[in-house]
Amino acid sequence: MILLSDELREQLLANGRQRDIDHVPVVKFFNPLGKIVWLATELDADGDTLFGLADIGESELGYFSLEEMSSISLPFGMGIERDILFTGDLPISVWAETAHHAGSIRAAERIV
């Protein structure tokens, strides 16, 4: 699966040029065989460094690599996927706070 369409990439890059804004997540990535989830709001000009909320055991705002996510090889020939139905209608700060209180991004999705 292509993790970022051209449209998503452009939106993330545009958000990356406006770092002082509490952006709404543009895209959700997930491990289809596990609990790991990422919500990305921004992409650096390098085309690799994303900013957003990562849940790899505990939800935390920070930076993560698109290239590293793309290179993850899971059993059965699977890899990290993009949730094509995801709509992040609330700012990332709301997602972060809700995920912190609920225990995970997946639990926060049931609340927000």
Side-chain angles (χ1 to χ4, degrees), residues 7-35:
E7 180 181 323
L8 292 172
R9 181 178 300 277
E10 288 305 315
Q11 180 61 54
L12 288 164
L13 284 167
N15 287 356
R17 291 187 288 270
Q18 299 176 338
R19 295 196 180 257
D20 57 339
I21 297 173
D22 189 11
H23 294 289
V24 170
V26 173
V27 63
K28 173 187 169 188
F29 303 107
F30 67 97
N31 175 343
L33 301 176
K35 297 179 180 180

Side-chain angles (χ1 to χ4, degrees), residues 33-50:
L33 301 176
K35 297 179 180 180
I36 299 174
V37 177
W38 299 266
L39 299 178
T41 59
E42 302 169 20
L43 178 63
D44 282 350
D46 66 8
D48 178 53
T49 307
L50 292 157

